[in-house]
Amino acid sequence: MADVAFYRDEALPFLEAKRCSKSDLAYQKHFHEEHSLGLIDEGETQAWCEGMLWRVESGRMINFPPHMLHACQPAENADWKYRMLFIKPEWLERMELPRLNKLQIPFLLEDGKNEACRKRFNRTMDSLVRNESSLEIETALIELVHMLIMKHESDQAHEPHGASERKYVNRVKEYIHAHYKDRITLEQLEQETGATRYHLIRSFKKSTHLPPHAYQNLLRINHAKIELRKRRPIAEIAVDAGYYDQSHFTKAFARIVGATPQTYAVSV
């Protein structure tokens, strides 16, 4: 595995991920055009930000707004592994996020919020590394940014859910039912409903208790079960259901059904 690796999804040009396990890699003063979120997986580093030093330990996240000058120096004689997400500011602006200005300063999160954001950071990174659907990757990213800007995790329970939100949810459901085999993106859902993708995710999850990509995956798996009972080849069903390979299909199927497609097929 390379010491430094980058990950992208061509349908999501506003997002790039980086993984680094090179312990002797230090960075001179620099800035990024993107909004940068970092997570230290092992070791610790001294992060210099416009004249101030921040000690960032293993398990901690740090945020750098676009064009903020910073530098990082890992601790001596310690393994240093970290991951970064780079988000173009144009995407954040399109989200029409409340309290977006909360992301405009460098910060280390308090323990409870750091843990909540770390879980969502890992989910976003893992989805991108595993080449999950664009819908799943961007949904995970929105959930991460939402958690970063929330004052309290309980804020989520008080979000309104009126007639307009139900209309959006119903339209999203209709679209997913009609296109569940396709590679759906949040941009497409945004165009279909006229609502921002940020509000679509919040409304859909509040109504159905699932994000759109999980709802789509259930439709795909239910379709696959029907086709497996017809004794069709598993690889053929995987492609037909919208999965990019049989391995990905098998993992998704087992998570929902509790058995592999092969086990399910020979049992019917």
Side-chain angles (χ1 to χ4, degrees):
M1 183 179 292
D3 290 334
V4 181
F6 294 87
Y7 305 92
R8 307 175 187 93
D9 183 312
E10 62 179 15
L12 308 175
F14 51 81
L15 177 65
E16 181 177 76
K18 176 182 180 181
R19 180 192 50 77
C20 179
S21 57
K22 190 173 176 60
S23 297
D24 61 348
L25 186 60
Y27 294 93
Q28 64 183 14
K29 293 174 183 175
H30 65 286
F31 61 76
H32 303 283
E33 300 290 333
E34 305 87 359
H35 197 102
S36 309
L37 298 172
L39 172 62
I40 306 299
D41 290 314
E42 292 185 27
E44 64 178 68
T45 185
Q46 291 283 346
W48 180 94
C49 295
E50 296 191 335
M52 296 182 63
L53 277 178
W54 302 70
R55 182 172 176 238
V56 191
E57 303 162 295
S58 177
R60 305 296 291 186
M61 289 184 60
I62 191 167
N63 151 62
F64 300 110
H67 303 115
M68 173 162 280
L69 198 63
H70 60 280
C72 295
Q73 177 66 53
E76 294 184 8
N77 303 318
D79 288 335
W80 186 41
K81 296 180 180 179
Y82 72 92
R83 289 169 295 160
M84 298 287 298
L85 291 171
F86 302 101
I87 310 165
K88 289 189 177 180
E90 294 84 359
W91 178 85
L92 286 167
E93 291 167 3
R94 285 187 62 190
M95 293 302 100
E96 298 181 8
L97 296 164
R99 298 191 292 274
L100 181 60
N101 62 324
K102 295 296 182 182
L103 289 180
Q104 299 309 307
I105 58 172
F107 63 87
L108 296 171
L109 304 173
E110 63 271 18
D111 290 341
K113 189 165 186 178
N114 186 86
E115 177 63 18
C117 290
R118 185 167 67 91
K119 290 179 180 178
R120 289 159 176 81
F121 181 100
N122 286 332
R123 190 179 305 153
T124 305
M125 177 69 71
D126 291 346
S127 296
L128 193 55
V129 171
R130 293 196 302 259
N131 194 28
E132 300 288 0
S133 70
S134 304
L135 185 61
E136 182 168 355
I137 296 167
E138 189 172 6
T139 297
L141 179 63
I142 288 175
E143 293 288 349
L144 167 60
V145 174
H146 175 74
M147 182 57 64
L148 283 167
I149 64 174
M150 284 172 61
K151 290 181 179 178
H152 306 287
E153 191 161 1
S154 59
D155 288 355
Q156 184 169 322
H158 301 298
E159 293 180 349
H161 189 67
S164 60
E165 284 74 20
R166 287 192 293 271
K167 180 183 68 175
Y168 298 145
V169 170
N170 290 337
R171 183 66 191 105
V172 169
K173 280 185 177 180
E174 291 172 1
Y175 188 88
I176 295 176
H177 275 270
H179 302 277
Y180 68 89
K181 295 181 183 180
D182 301 333
R183 193 172 177 86
I184 300 172
T185 66
L186 281 176
E187 183 176 11
Q188 291 170 325
L189 297 180
E190 190 177 62
Q191 292 171 352
E192 282 293 317
T193 62
T196 67
R197 60 195 75 179
Y198 170 78
H199 287 100
L200 281 178
I201 291 296
R202 308 312 310 161
S203 297
F204 194 90
K205 193 170 183 180
K206 187 176 181 66
S207 175
T208 67
H209 308 285
L210 288 172
H213 73 267
Y215 189 85
Q216 179 187 21
N217 192 53
L218 290 179
L219 295 179
R220 287 177 166 181
I221 296 301
N222 288 339
H223 167 78
K225 289 167 67 178
I226 294 172
E227 298 306 305
L228 285 167
R229 291 197 290 268
K230 297 177 183 177
R231 306 293 185 177
R232 288 179 60 196
I234 294 175
E236 183 180 294
I237 294 172
V239 174
D240 178 53
Y243 294 97
Y244 58 83
D245 61 33
Q246 185 173 334
S247 174
H248 189 221
F249 166 59
T250 297
K251 291 177 182 177
F253 190 93
R255 284 197 298 265
I256 300 300
V257 182
T260 66
Q262 178 65 32
T263 299
Y264 184 83
V266 300
S267 300
V268 297

